[in-house]
Amino acid sequence: DCVQELGVVHAIVLVINGRVTRMTAQLRYALTRVCSLLPKTADQNILVVFTNCESEICCNFGKAHLNEVLFHDVGDERKMYIDNPYSLWRNARSDQEEVVGPHVQQELVKGCRDAAADMGRFFIQVSAMPPMGTTVFKERYELKKDIERNTVECLQEHRHMQLKRSQLDEITVAIREASTEEALHREYTKDFHGMRWEFGDAALKRGTPQHSTLCASPGCHSNCHAPCYLKMTTDREDFKNCVAIKRSRVKDECSECGHSYTFHYHQMKCWKEVAFTQPL
């Protein structure tokens, strides 16, 4: 929403600690979420700033890992290396909150001047980038939400089909083991009757269809909070604020189904159990 209000943006700046030698799981997750919303045309508007290193030879971060997440090679002209002057000043202070020693003072002044020059080059680089309309970000975000919802539905349907296949396999084996036609007719009918889970109508809030919080844990068909009063989201961390999670006695677990909040998602449907008949 904040990006859409801007109308246009000139650059997407990725700030990474250059002292870290490899990409952490948290950083990969954050970059993947950001890059999933970027159009292909945004490749030339990406600028990477490595902090805590004054040059490329001081940077420990594996740049190949970054290219894997971005799905393209970020050119050297769009990489910057900045040593944080505030960090230098903080390290240079004595117990009396003063910078002591002429050598330390000179190093600190040099670090601040270098950082100022780097920031000047940074703004020149950003100002030269072509503006991008933000409407495409909203469109890709909505598309991403639809894909995630459809993926959850497909996974649930796949699990149901696996269960149904297992039940039919058991019936097939039992039929083959019937020794005579008389035993077959006596113990089995021509139809299999069972129960299955499927998506039904959305929960209502004052007569209006409203999204609900469901669980995507394998085999779980819990309508954990229907309807849910959180704003509809695809961010797993937001579900910590869902009533079903907050009122649980176990941290970060759902009070309804007992599974972690990370399994939960929003859906404009609710689970219901229905009877079905399968001809044999």
Side-chain angles (χ1 to χ4, degrees), residues 187-202:
E187 297 187 19
Y188 297 96
T189 64
K190 294 182 179 180
D191 296 323
F192 172 75
H193 302 279
M195 301 293 293
R196 68 184 178 192
W197 289 93
E198 63 182 34
F199 282 119
D201 296 332

Side-chain angles (χ1 to χ4, degrees), residues 38-51:
L38 300 180
K40 183 64 177 177
T41 54
D43 289 354
Q44 299 305 313
N45 292 76
I46 296 177
L47 187 65
V48 183
V49 176
F50 294 101
T51 61

Side-chain angles (χ1 to χ4, degrees), residues 12-18 27 31 47-52 122:
I12 296 97
V13 182
L14 306 179
V15 182
I16 300 174
N17 187 349
L27 179 58
L31 291 178
L47 187 65
V48 183
V49 176
F50 294 101
T51 61
N52 297 323
F122 169 80

Side-chain angles (χ1 to χ4, degrees), residues 243-275:
V243 171
I245 309 299
K246 293 179 68 175
R247 67 188 177 195
S248 175
R249 295 182 179 180
V250 182
K251 181 177 174 58
D252 294 340
E253 285 190 5
C254 179
S255 60
E256 296 295 324
C257 66
H259 296 125
S260 169
Y261 74 94
T262 57
F263 284 107
H264 291 71
Y265 66 101
H266 277 154
Q267 178 63 270
M268 289 296 295
K269 300 176 183 178
C270 286
W271 285 111
K272 66 176 182 178
E273 192 174 19
V274 298

Side-chain angles (χ1 to χ4, degrees), residues 4 17 118 165 177 200 226 228:
Q4 191 175 14
N17 187 349
D118 291 334
R165 175 64 181 270
E177 292 177 351
C228 182

Side-chain angles (χ1 to χ4, degrees), residues 56 63 73-81 125:
E56 183 175 4
K63 303 177 186 64
D73 185 15
V74 179
D76 292 337
E77 72 281 359
R78 289 185 285 117
K79 297 174 184 173
M80 301 195 66
Y81 306 88
Q125 186 83 357

